[in-house]
């Protein structure tokens, strides 16, 4: 093998922390509650298959992904548990899900009718497992009225090419200190639930934020655990976490080049940074193409337990930092995570980049090797 994983720029993923975070959530739920591990978007950047395997090993009943391709990648890698696609799958691809035993989200009667036609015409017999999505106020996908939902339930139950496996909703403001919109959604959801005399096996309403701040309102048997499984606070900083979460990932690199910059010399594109006095400068082999945002220009990283300023613009593949003293090539640099007693969190990066921790995590590009620890 000529290609390798020779790069020092790594996302170090602590699988033990994933296990810990799942157990923390499980402890807080009603007995017999189940957890679906949300592993969409390459497990929020942490690696689809290793994270799914770890979560299932820690007791998750199933995994949620955004698109069918992600579900098939899990099946191809030997994951046999329930896998639910949370987005809408084009009806012409749905038989692939049925074949693979992947569960799909359905949000309209039309979709069911179209699949019924295709299945009849093609003599597909393997039942497609469906979770009916309920739009209680997110405004994204799903049934908005109890009547349309009941029609769909009836259609699913009357046609043997479907298996009614689940129903769920999703909240828009579960991570907010203001509960009013959340409570409205709960009320609407409860109308859907109480409209059925017999519920499907999986009834789910809670994302991480609901599992953290609205546990007493969960009228469902399964929690979809996303960001909290990765040790991050769903609200950023708005609400204090109610679980003892461990951050799962660290973004690190190592110094590739060191030099002395003379007073008056400039660094990087646009020559926006000029040394005021002689100083030590290190180059790092990481840039915005790795998902470290270009707007971090002027921010800081950690070297040997100390904050060091980023000097000049972050480039596509490299960036420069100012060192307090010369450090050798190969010295580890932490861009997100802990060094000594200092830490740069996903929230710190998100605040600086004017976004949320989710986006920082999911933007770490494929070029960054994922390295697993326990
Ligand atoms: C992404 C997603 C989740 C997980 O959300 P977190 O805030 O990360 O817990 C749960 N449910 C649905 C429908 C989603 O799209």
């Amino acid at each position: 093998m000529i290609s390798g994983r020779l790069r020092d720029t790594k996302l170090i993923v602590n699988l033990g922390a994933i296990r810990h975070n799942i157990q923390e959530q499980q402890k807080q739920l009603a007995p017999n509650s189940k957890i679906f591990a949300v592993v969409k978007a390459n497990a929020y950047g942490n690696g689809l298959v290793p994270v799914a395997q770890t979560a299932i090993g820690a007791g998750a009943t199933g995994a949620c992904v955004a698109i069918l391709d992600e579900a098939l990648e899990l099946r191809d890698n030997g994951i046999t548990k329930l896998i639910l696609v949370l987005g809408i799958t084009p009806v012409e691809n749905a038989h692939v899900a049925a074949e693979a035993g992947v569960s799909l989200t359905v949000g309209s009667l039309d979709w069911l009718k179209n699949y019924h036609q295709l299945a009849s015409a093609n003599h597909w017999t393997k039942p497609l497992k469906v979770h009916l999505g309920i739009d209680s106020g997110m405004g994204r996908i799903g049934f908005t009225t109890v009547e349309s939902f009941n029609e769909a339930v009836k259609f699913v139950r009357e046609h043997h090419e479907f298996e009614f496996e689940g129903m769920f909703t999703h909240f828009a403001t579960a991570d907010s200190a203001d509960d009013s919109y959340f409570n409205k959604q709960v009320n609407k959801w409860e109308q859907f639930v109480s409209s059925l005399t017999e519920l499907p096996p999986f009834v789910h309403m809670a994302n991480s934020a609901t599992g953290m701040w609205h546990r007493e309102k969960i009228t469902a048997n399964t929690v979809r655990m996303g960001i909290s499984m990765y040790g991050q606070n769903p609200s950023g900083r708005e609400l204090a976490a109610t679980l003892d979460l461990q951050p799962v990932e660290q973004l690190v690199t190592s110094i590739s080049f060191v030099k002395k910059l003379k007073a008056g010399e400039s660094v990087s594109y646009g020559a926006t940074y000029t040394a005021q006095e002689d100083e030590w400068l290190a180059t790092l082999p990481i840039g915005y193409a790795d998902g470290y945002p270009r707007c971090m220009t002027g921010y800081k990283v950690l070297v040997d337990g100390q904050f060091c300023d980023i000097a000049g613009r972050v480039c596509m593949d490299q960036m420069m930092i100012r060192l307090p003293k010369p450090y050798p090539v190969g010295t580890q640099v932490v861009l997100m995570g802990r060094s000594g007693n200092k830490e740069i969190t996903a929230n710190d990066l998100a605040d600086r980049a004017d976004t949320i921790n989710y986006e920082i995590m999911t933007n770490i590009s494929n070029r960054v090797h994922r390295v697993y620890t326990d």
Side-chain angles (χ1 to χ4, degrees):
M1 190 179 78
I2 295 186
S3 72
R5 292 160 57 89
L6 303 175
R7 196 176 186 210
D8 273 346
T9 300
K10 303 179 278 214
L11 190 73
I12 302 173
V13 179
N14 181 347
L15 297 174
I18 290 180
R19 254 180 250 119
H20 166 88
N21 296 333
I22 290 175
Q23 283 152 10
E24 276 298 301
Q25 176 69 82
Q26 190 82 61
K27 277 201 290 207
Q28 304 283 341
L29 297 174
N32 303 322
S33 296
K34 295 180 269 277
I35 289 179
F36 287 163
V38 181
V39 294
K40 61 191 179 184
N42 197 28
Y44 291 38
N46 292 280
L48 177 65
V49 174
V51 171
Q53 283 167 337
T54 302
I56 287 166
T61 302
C64 295
V65 293
I67 58 174
L68 182 53
D69 286 326
E70 294 172 327
L72 297 175
E73 193 177 332
L74 290 174
R75 283 284 183 260
D76 285 346
N77 283 280
I79 289 177
T80 55
K81 293 266 184 185
L82 182 153
I83 302 172
L84 170 64
V85 177
L86 294 169
I88 300 293
T89 302
V91 72
E92 56 276 16
N93 297 339
H95 69 284
V96 181
E99 279 304 315
V102 166
S103 312
L104 295 186
T105 293
V106 173
S108 74
L109 182 59
D110 278 348
W111 193 102
L112 292 169
K113 286 183 171 165
N114 290 339
Y115 185 76
H116 167 67
Q117 266 189 348
L118 284 173
S120 311
N122 293 286
H123 308 289
W124 293 332
T125 50
K126 196 158 179 203
L128 174 67
K129 297 174 196 169
V130 298
H131 290 228
L132 298 181
I134 288 156
D135 182 1
S136 59
M138 178 67 185
R140 194 164 65 176
I141 53 173
F143 297 91
T144 51
T145 65
V146 172
E147 296 70 45
S148 61
F149 170 67
N150 286 338
E151 265 185 288
V153 171
K154 188 159 177 280
F155 194 86
V156 164
R157 286 188 165 143
E158 282 171 355
H159 293 90
H160 59 79
E161 68 271 19
F162 298 112
E163 179 185 329
F164 187 24
E165 187 181 55
M167 61 186 283
F168 73 101
T169 195
H170 191 51
F171 292 104
T173 63
D175 58 346
S176 165
D178 179 352
D179 283 357
S180 49
Y181 196 83
F182 178 85
N183 290 336
K184 250 194 253 177
Q185 282 198 255
V186 171
N187 288 340
K188 186 153 183 195
W189 158 253
E190 284 173 352
Q191 290 166 24
F192 285 78
V193 174
S194 60
S195 74
L196 298 187
T197 46
E198 197 192 331
L199 293 172
F202 294 95
V203 179
H204 43 117
M205 66 190 289
N207 54 1
S208 299
T210 307
M212 212 180 259
W213 295 298
H214 305 282
R215 286 194 281 266
E216 73 293 348
K217 296 225 174 85
I218 299 180
T219 50
N221 59 22
T222 307
V223 170
R224 299 185 306 271
M225 196 178 177
I227 193 115
S228 60
M229 186 172 78
Y230 304 98
Q232 299 293 327
N233 183 329
S235 77
R237 303 184 199 277
E238 184 171 345
L239 298 170
T242 64
L243 301 175
D244 167 34
L245 297 177
Q246 290 177 2
V248 163
E249 63 187 59
Q250 298 222 94
L251 180 63
V252 303
T253 187
S254 62
I255 293 174
S256 62
F257 193 83
V258 184
K259 67 168 171 289
K260 194 165 206 178
L261 198 66
K262 300 239 168 56
E265 291 178 336
S266 294
V267 167
S268 197
Y269 291 116
T272 57
Y273 177 86
T274 303
Q276 300 304 309
E277 51 188 11
D278 290 5
E279 61 191 37
W280 288 99
L281 201 85
T283 302
L284 311 180
I286 180 169
Y288 61 79
D290 297 302
Y292 188 77
R294 184 171 178 271
C295 61
M296 304 313 284
T297 296
Y299 196 62
K300 59 199 177 183
V301 301
L302 283 163
V303 180
D304 192 20
Q306 314 153 79
F307 289 115
C308 296
D309 292 334
I310 297 170
R313 289 190 184 145
V314 173
C315 310
M316 188 187 291
D317 322 293
Q318 304 182 72
M319 56 193 253
M320 281 61 82
I321 59 171
R322 192 153 41 109
L323 294 176
K325 59 175 192 189
Y327 278 92
V329 164
T331 302
Q332 194 185 65
V333 178
V334 176
L335 295 101
M336 174 169 61
R338 202 168 254 295
S339 174
N341 59 6
K342 301 213 167 56
E343 191 178 16
I344 297 173
T345 65
N347 275 332
D348 293 335
L349 298 179
D351 286 351
R352 175 73 185 199
D354 197 18
T355 182
I356 53 175
N357 44 11
Y358 294 73
E359 191 179 2
I360 295 293
M361 295 164 69
T362 54
N363 275 356
I364 307 295
S365 74
N366 284 338
R367 197 169 69 172
V368 177
H369 297 315
R370 272 64 177 173
V371 175
Y372 297 94
T373 63
D374 220 313

